[in-house]
Amino acid sequence: VYEQLARKYGSVFCIPAILGYSRLVLFDPKVIQHFYSHEMFLHQQTTLTKQFIENLVGNGVLRAEGDSHKRQRKALTPAFSDAAIRRLTYIFFDSAYKVGACSRDLHPP
């Protein structure tokens, strides 16, 4: 649905939400990166969103805002560097191979 809306309206658009609100949708990875790296203190989650995220994944980095988010992001940054991801690439490939092999076993041609 979002892909269709992005083709029609571009990579940044608003959609209607509950109670007469609207939601800004950012569909371009570069725009999302810029927004979250430069505007993190302007973005505040609604109470309902905070509660939903906390119930879903706990009170961690996804739920954090402001200075707490900045501290947590700074602590996690080394784990997501290019070098760190490169060291884990073999795990991704190995897991993908196993899933493919399992899928072939369950659904032979």
Side-chain angles (χ1 to χ4, degrees):
V1 173
Y2 287 109
E3 289 174 349
Q4 292 172 347
L5 292 171
R7 280 194 294 274
K8 185 173 182 178
Y9 298 111
S11 61
V12 178
F13 55 92
C14 287
I15 58 171
I18 61 171
L19 302 174
Y21 288 95
S22 62
R23 295 283 179 231
L24 178 67
V25 177
L26 306 175
F27 207 74
D28 181 341
K30 289 183 181 181
V31 172
I32 295 168
Q33 179 183 11
H34 176 80
F35 179 82
Y36 281 110
S37 65
H38 293 93
E39 309 295 335
M40 69 182 143
F41 294 109
L42 296 177
H43 173 70
Q44 297 295 315
Q45 297 171 344
T46 65
T47 305
L48 183 63
T49 301
K50 290 177 192 177
Q51 189 63 47
F52 177 75
I53 292 172
E54 189 171 338
N55 289 340
L56 189 64
V57 294
N59 194 10
V61 71
L62 293 176
R63 165 77 167 70
E65 293 180 317
D67 289 334
S68 175
H69 179 265
K70 190 174 182 179
R71 269 193 319 279
Q72 290 183 32
R73 199 176 97 204
K74 187 175 182 178
L76 288 172
T77 297
F80 293 96
S81 69
D82 289 341
I85 298 298
R86 207 173 294 116
R87 286 192 300 269
L88 297 173
T89 303
Y90 77 93
I91 294 172
F92 296 123
F93 281 114
D94 186 50
S95 298
Y97 177 77
K98 288 177 183 175
V99 168
C102 181
S103 176
R104 283 189 298 277
D105 292 343
L106 293 174
H107 306 287

Tab-separated table of all heavy atoms in Angstrom, residues 15 60 99:
chain	number	residue	atom	x	y	z
A	15	ILE	N	-0.716	10.751	5.496
A	15	ILE	CA	-1.891	9.897	5.407
A	15	ILE	C	-2.784	10.193	6.601
A	15	ILE	O	-2.302	10.583	7.670
A	15	ILE	CB	-1.513	8.396	5.370
A	15	ILE	CG1	-0.713	7.995	6.610
A	15	ILE	CG2	-0.765	8.044	4.104
A	15	ILE	CD1	-0.484	6.506	6.744
A	60	GLY	N	13.400	-0.056	25.590
A	60	GLY	CA	14.785	0.039	25.131
A	60	GLY	C	14.985	1.172	24.149
A	60	GLY	O	14.307	2.191	24.204
A	99	VAL	N	17.896	-21.848	5.352
A	99	VAL	CA	16.476	-21.633	5.105
A	99	VAL	C	16.115	-22.125	3.708
A	99	VAL	O	15.085	-22.785	3.515
A	99	VAL	CB	16.095	-20.139	5.272
A	99	VAL	CG1	14.711	-19.849	4.731
A	99	VAL	CG2	16.194	-19.736	6.735
